[in-house]
Amino acid sequence: MIELNNVSKTFGSIRAVDSISLTVQPGELCVLVGTSGCGKSTSLRMINRLIEHSAGSIRIDGEDIDRIDPQQLRRRIGYVIQSTGLFPHWTVARNIAVVPSLLGWPAARVQARVDELLHLLGLEPAEFAGKYPSQLSGGQAQRVGVARALAGDPDILLMDEPFGALDPITRDSLQNELLRIQQQVAKTIVFVTHDMDEALKLATRIVVMDKGRIVQQDSPQALLAKPANAFVETLLGGQERGLKQAGLLQVSSLMQRLPKALPAPVGASVDAAASLRQALSVMLWHRCKRLAVVDGDGLQIGVLHLGALLEDDQC
Ligand SMILES: Nc1ncnc2c1ncn2[C@@H]1O[C@H](COP(=O)(O)OP(=O)(O)OP(=O)(O)O)[C@@H](O)[C@H]1O
Ligand SMILES: [Mg+2]
């Protein structure tokens, strides 16, 4: 779907991106992560030709992007940035409708698409379609930014720190929505962040960059299990690694399942869909080594033992 082959970008004497090669498969959510100035945004913006690469080749669906008109290319690729880039004098509906209108969709289809996307992003059309960007909270504006990027139904979405400016709770809920939308509409997404926790939560693959180069690309699990060098290990949080790893696994993966569901338990419990990290936190809080595991209806369906988290004792 997206292929970068030995791609470099120089600004004068600065080598912002240094010979990176990367293939992103259809339906993947690929996260570029690294410290400030390592070339994440430049890499992303070369894919939709907002920045022209200096060397190497970039292909989309096998087609060299140099041969695609930049305007056409950008209509095929959704782009979301931290500051949303909404047009301030246009309503939410008109902002979302930019690409469909450019693509010449009939008015009724555009209107239907706008409503559909507002619903998808959890914004009631009757309330939000006629508002202006200045009347929105940061989180709402960011949702509109995502809706706009999805409007022309592009196969590819490029997202540059889209949730970076939001408070942790809003960010968490938008991350969950992105995962939900990704399950529903399966876009190919390249997502930039400098927040490793965000990368671990969202990515099917994490690409770690340092000084314009790719130092490692792997699944979140593989990255945590085997960081390629000390820099990746530091990015992963050093001694916090164990908790981050536990954050990737669900309670249901390690619990002992009961033969049949029981009524709601009295003592400490955790949801089967929670992470092992959350379960550990509940155990620490209640000072207990076992937790009842409950399903979405509050019925007990299993038990989680602290010992199960420590299996494969390597000490
Ligand atoms: N238009 C430009 N002209 C000159 N240098 C630039 C330009 N754009 C980026 N750079 C330089 O290229 C390098 C990579 O910048 P880039 O914006 O890709 O970093 P980043 O990883 O996105 O950082 P951040 O996390 O701070 O957004 C930096 O050293 C930056 O100063
Ligand atoms: Mg950047």
Side-chain angles (χ1 to χ4, degrees):
M1 171 65 72
I2 307 172
E3 284 173 81
L4 280 71
N5 222 319
N6 293 317
V7 172
S8 297
K9 176 67 192 180
T10 45
F11 294 107
S13 60
I14 298 173
R15 209 169 176 77
V17 174
D18 190 0
S19 194
I20 63 168
S21 294
L22 173 69
T23 303
V24 187
Q25 302 292 346
E28 254 197 294
L29 204 166
C30 174
V31 178
L32 307 185
V33 62
T35 47
S36 184
C38 71
K40 304 180 294 295
S41 298
T42 305
S43 301
L44 197 73
R45 291 155 66 92
M46 287 191 291
I47 297 173
N48 63 2
R49 290 188 67 180
L50 281 172
I51 294 177
E52 299 289 354
H53 54 285
S54 318
S57 68
I58 303 177
R59 291 169 185 277
I60 286 179
D61 286 337
E63 196 179 355
D64 196 312
I65 61 164
D66 287 345
R67 298 213 195 97
I68 310 174
D69 171 62
Q71 302 270 348
Q72 295 246 320
L73 184 71
R74 272 170 234 147
R75 281 174 210 170
R76 280 171 54 185
I77 301 179
Y79 181 52
V80 188
I81 52 174
Q82 190 178 99
S83 60
T84 75
L86 298 176
F87 299 115
H89 304 300
W90 287 8
T91 61
V92 163
R94 194 165 168 210
N95 265 289
I96 295 176
V98 172
V99 171
S101 304
L102 284 171
L103 292 172
W105 292 14
R109 183 171 168 211
V110 174
Q111 161 93 46
R113 180 72 178 148
V114 168
D115 283 2
E116 180 190 346
L117 284 164
L118 284 171
H119 277 302
L120 188 69
L121 271 303
L123 300 168
E124 183 50 49
E127 186 182 347
F128 287 97
K131 285 200 165 161
Y132 288 89
S134 62
Q135 298 172 304
L136 304 173
S137 73
Q140 289 162 350
Q142 213 55 43
R143 279 163 212 261
V144 175
V146 175
R148 184 178 58 170
L150 289 169
D153 206 14
D155 294 327
I156 298 172
L157 211 53
L158 306 178
M159 308 182 84
D160 195 347
E161 305 211 34
F163 311 142
L166 304 173
D167 66 87
I169 293 172
T170 310
R171 189 185 319 159
D172 193 59
S173 91
L174 275 170
Q175 288 167 348
N176 292 339
E177 264 167 60
L178 181 67
L179 287 172
R180 182 179 57 78
I181 292 169
Q182 174 66 350
Q183 279 184 347
Q184 256 175 285
V185 294
K187 302 289 176 193
T188 304
I189 302 177
V190 186
F191 187 108
V192 165
T193 182
H194 57 252
D195 177 354
M196 185 54 95
D197 284 317
E198 184 165 68
L200 288 168
K201 176 171 174 181
L202 297 177
T204 52
R205 185 147 51 106
I206 296 180
V207 177
V208 182
M209 292 185 68
D210 186 26
K211 302 190 193 82
R213 291 172 164 263
I214 292 177
V215 290
Q216 186 170 9
Q217 44 177 317
D218 248 320
S219 69
Q221 290 83 352
L223 200 75
L224 276 164
K226 268 204 172 133
N229 58 26
F231 172 74
V232 180
E233 206 170 319
T234 309
L235 268 191
L236 286 167
Q239 292 194 323
E240 296 277 316
R241 245 166 85 192
L243 286 175
K244 292 191 196 290
Q245 199 166 35
L248 294 180
L249 293 170
Q250 279 197 340
V251 167
S252 56
S253 68
L254 276 191
M255 71 177 184
Q256 242 177 338
R257 192 171 281 277
L258 297 179
K260 74 178 183 41
L262 298 176
V266 181
S269 68
V270 68
D271 198 285
S275 69
L276 291 178
R277 180 184 183 142
Q278 287 168 310
L280 198 57
S281 174
V282 177
M283 286 180 184
L284 286 170
W285 185 254
H286 291 282
R287 301 283 183 275
C288 61
K289 293 181 183 158
R290 64 191 290 281
L291 294 175
V293 180
V294 297
D295 65 8
D297 299 323
L299 297 176
Q300 184 180 355
I301 55 166
V303 179
L304 181 70
H305 294 273
L306 177 60
L309 275 76
L310 307 176
E311 265 171 20
D312 302 328
D313 183 351
Q314 291 168 0
C315 302

